[in-house]
Amino acid sequence: MRHPLRYIFYYITLTILVSSCNDDVFISPMEITSDHDEISSGQSTVIRTNIYDVTEVWADFMLKTTDAAGNAHYKYLLSTDISSSTAEVENKAFSATMSFDRNKGRLNLAVDRNYYSDTIIANITFTSSISTLSKAIRIIPSSYLVPGPISYYTDTYVMTQTTSVKHGTTYINNMDKPWVITIVDETSIPALYRFSPLDQELNDALDRAEFEVPAVISTDQGVEVTDIPIKYTTSNTQLPEIGLPAEKYTLTLQPHESKTVKLWVEYECYEIPYSLQCTDSAEGTIIDIDGKYILQHPVSYQITIESTPDE
């Protein structure tokens, strides 16, 4: 037999080449792991990946809330590129520090401050020339802002006037008899209010439990703080016991008649600066949430009735 050693060499070489194509033997799957999947303020975690040619590292932070029906909703908070080895992200309610060791494939995420009362999802993404891997870290609430007394600066308010359509409704009577509709009842057209915080991040971090503060109303001399308790809210809400007296107004629609009714209300709109004093539940630090209290006080109204185009 000629050249037996050569044939043995060819056989060994071929075996190595075939085996090197087997991923289970020589090529480890790309993966991403973490020491802790859940951390809170003052804690940290290390995220590791075996991607050898990372070109970009990105972190996105989302606030996860759940509605009454149990559905999850996500609100964007912050994002940053960590490819340059270090990065900091922060707003008034949250801050975190990150560092990335490219040689070891290690990213350290440390939460320095977190006032949010809901879970934050930190999504860390590693990108290479051939793949992208992501890891989600849950940052759970640890401290929160406890609301305290509110101060209104009634000597620096601003007042404007505006007219808006309070109600606009088309009524169609498909019956064979007249239909009597009450457009305005015998009580009043209510005043409206809402709070407009300057630091929305801090406002979002307030304890979810509802709390009340004193109402501010308009008077002949301007505005004044009352003992009327109202809910602290950023949505337009009726101010109890305050409004424009109105006379009952009804509309009678004849059979198969339709009308569009609009109630036009003129409001005096007041913007009153306020400061809500809050306390860090963990450290006792005092933090103020500043903003404007928006009061819409009705001063007059008008009802218009129009026939629908197809009548």
Side-chain angles (χ1 to χ4, degrees):
M1 187 174 185
R2 305 167 100 186
H3 308 296
L5 294 177
R6 180 184 300 178
Y7 289 108
I8 294 174
F9 173 77
Y10 286 160
Y11 176 78
I12 294 174
T13 303
L14 180 61
T15 301
I16 293 174
L17 289 174
V18 172
S19 299
S20 67
C21 296
N22 189 333
D23 292 344
D24 295 333
V25 176
F26 289 99
I27 302 176
S28 299
M30 288 176 287
E31 61 182 3
I32 181 172
T33 60
S34 64
D35 289 352
H36 307 285
D37 291 343
E38 186 175 277
I39 59 177
S40 61
S41 181
Q43 298 179 340
S44 64
T45 186
V46 175
I47 302 162
R48 297 176 174 84
T49 182
N50 61 356
I51 300 178
Y52 72 92
D53 62 340
V54 174
T55 57
E56 184 180 70
V57 184
W58 199 264
D60 296 294
F61 295 83
M62 308 289 289
L63 185 65
K64 179 184 177 181
T65 60
T66 305
D67 60 23
N71 301 312
H73 302 274
Y74 296 87
K75 178 181 178 180
Y76 168 81
L77 292 180
L78 299 158
S79 60
T80 187
D81 183 0
I82 326 168
S83 306
S84 61
S85 74
T86 60
E88 294 183 5
V89 291
E90 68 174 343
N91 60 27
K92 294 293 182 65
F94 175 82
S95 70
T97 304
M98 288 161 287
S99 59
F100 177 53
D101 187 330
R102 187 177 299 275
N103 295 326
K104 296 182 179 180
R106 292 164 48 101
L107 184 144
N108 186 78
L109 167 62
V111 178
D112 307 312
R113 179 180 70 249
N114 180 24
Y115 291 141
Y116 287 105
S117 55
D118 293 294
T119 298
I120 296 175
I121 305 298
N123 195 56
I124 312 299
T125 302
F126 295 86
T127 301
S128 72
S129 58
I130 60 173
S131 66
T132 297
L133 292 178
S134 296
K135 179 70 175 178
I137 303 297
R138 296 184 301 277
I139 303 172
I140 60 175
S142 54
S143 62
Y144 52 91
L145 296 182
V146 181
I150 190 170
S151 298
Y152 297 101
Y153 303 102
T154 55
D155 56 343
T156 58
Y157 72 88
V158 176
M159 191 271 283
T160 59
Q161 284 188 314
T162 183
T163 301
S164 63
V165 178
K166 175 67 174 176
H167 298 288
T169 307
T170 297
Y171 298 94
I172 302 175
N173 184 8
N174 291 319
M175 300 181 293
D176 294 326
K177 60 180 181 179
W179 179 24
V180 179
I181 307 164
T182 299
I183 306 301
V184 177
D185 60 24
E186 294 178 309
T187 56
S188 65
I189 298 173
L192 304 174
Y193 78 93
R194 63 183 173 88
F195 291 87
S196 179
L198 299 179
D199 296 320
Q200 189 61 49
E201 295 90 357
L202 285 177
N203 197 77
D204 290 343
L206 279 173
D207 186 3
R208 287 286 177 176
E210 292 184 357
F211 61 95
E212 294 181 335
V213 295
V216 178
I217 65 171
S218 63
T219 67
D220 293 338
Q221 290 74 38
V223 295
E224 67 177 27
V225 182
T226 70
D227 294 329
I228 301 173
I230 57 173
K231 181 176 71 172
Y232 181 88
T233 176
T234 57
S235 301
N236 268 340
T237 305
Q238 292 187 8
L239 193 60
E241 305 176 20
I242 305 297
L244 175 67
E247 296 181 359
K248 184 174 182 178
Y249 184 90
T250 60
L251 172 68
T252 301
L253 288 183
Q254 298 303 318
H256 308 291
E257 183 182 34
S258 60
K259 299 286 185 180
T260 297
V261 180
K262 293 182 179 181
L263 174 62
W264 302 83
V265 182
E266 182 180 15
Y267 292 96
E268 289 181 344
C269 296
Y270 298 84
E271 295 184 358
I272 305 156
Y274 73 88
S275 182
L276 177 67
Q277 186 181 95
C278 302
T279 305
D280 183 331
S281 63
E283 300 180 0
T285 307
I286 301 298
I287 298 172
D288 292 329
I289 298 179
D290 298 325
K292 293 181 180 180
Y293 171 83
I294 310 298
L295 171 65
Q296 295 177 274
H297 188 92
V299 292
S300 65
Y301 70 95
Q302 180 184 8
I303 298 173
T304 60
I305 301 174
E306 303 172 356
S307 298
T308 55
D310 57 347
E311 188 175 271

